Amino acid sequence: MSEARHIFLLSLAVTLLIFFGGGGAGYYLAASGDPAAQTLMETVTEGVFSQVADDSSLILAAKIFLNNLQACVILFLGGATFGLLTIFILLTNGLVIGIFVNEIKDVIGPLGLAAGLAPHGIFELPAIFISGALGLALARALVAELVGQGDAVAEASRMGGQFLRIVVPLLVVAAVIEGFITPALLQIVI
């Protein structure tokens, strides 16, 4: 296995631990009745969902794509902060998703939750995880260059190509599914 692949896989494992750790913390926070969970849920609902409530499927898909692309670009480029921004975004996104799942699981049930998250999530979550892993790998490349053992610019360029070839197409598919298919599925299930 090449060193770059090994670093990516290790970064991916750390990404998953951070994201799902945040998700578990968010779920527990909401389950405990902590008012912070309700406040965060209201903030997300008012901020994100209110902006897309009356949009057509095409506009909704475009907004979702741009929002997710922005998040993934920040996850990747957050590696330039030695991974601190990448870690923060992974943790907070996991936290919000954990709270969201806990808050709506009883309202829409397990089938509604699966219909609302799984169809686009099978594309969107890997895009997020890959972006986070690339961000952490970029952080490692910066550290390696600082100690004279690497070329961070060359690594960033290589990883940028991976981002464009893998992450962007995943986000396009996820946005189309979330904009066109998920609302119809939710109407059937709920």
Side-chain angles (χ1 to χ4, degrees):
M1 177 184 315
S2 73
E3 182 181 356
R5 183 171 170 84
H6 177 73
I7 290 167
F8 175 78
L9 291 175
L10 181 60
S11 297
L12 184 60
V14 171
T15 295
L16 292 169
L17 285 172
I18 294 167
F19 182 86
F20 287 110
Y27 189 89
Y28 174 76
L29 187 69
S32 73
D34 190 313
Q38 187 61 36
T39 302
L40 187 56
M41 186 71 176
E42 289 170 5
T43 302
V44 170
T45 302
E46 291 169 9
V48 175
F49 295 131
S50 67
Q51 295 176 6
V52 297
D54 297 323
D55 290 333
S56 70
S57 293
L58 182 60
I59 298 298
L60 177 61
K63 285 182 176 180
I64 290 168
F65 171 74
L66 292 173
N67 181 61
N68 290 338
L69 178 62
Q70 178 183 14
C72 286
V73 166
I74 294 170
L75 277 167
F76 172 38
L77 296 180
T81 65
F82 296 98
L84 295 176
L85 184 57
T86 301
I87 291 167
F88 176 76
I89 292 171
L90 286 168
L91 193 60
T92 55
N93 274 317
L95 186 74
V96 168
I97 289 174
I99 291 170
F100 181 76
V101 166
N102 183 279
E103 293 290 319
I104 67 164
K105 70 179 176 14
D106 294 329
V107 175
I108 63 175
L111 187 57
L113 192 58
L117 296 178
H120 71 275
I122 60 173
F123 298 99
E124 187 176 311
L125 288 174
I128 290 168
F129 300 151
I130 292 167
S131 299
L134 290 171
L136 295 178
L138 176 59
R140 190 218 171 270
L142 285 171
V143 170
E145 182 164 337
L146 285 175
V147 298
Q149 297 178 351
D151 182 355
V153 173
E155 283 299 301
S157 177
R158 182 186 62 73
M159 288 185 263
Q162 290 175 320
F163 184 90
L164 292 173
R165 285 188 312 275
I166 300 167
V167 173
V168 173
L170 286 170
L171 293 176
V172 168
V173 173
V176 168
I177 291 170
E178 193 170 2
F180 288 91
I181 297 170
T182 299
L185 282 175
L186 286 173
Q187 286 182 347
I188 293 168
V189 173
I190 296 178

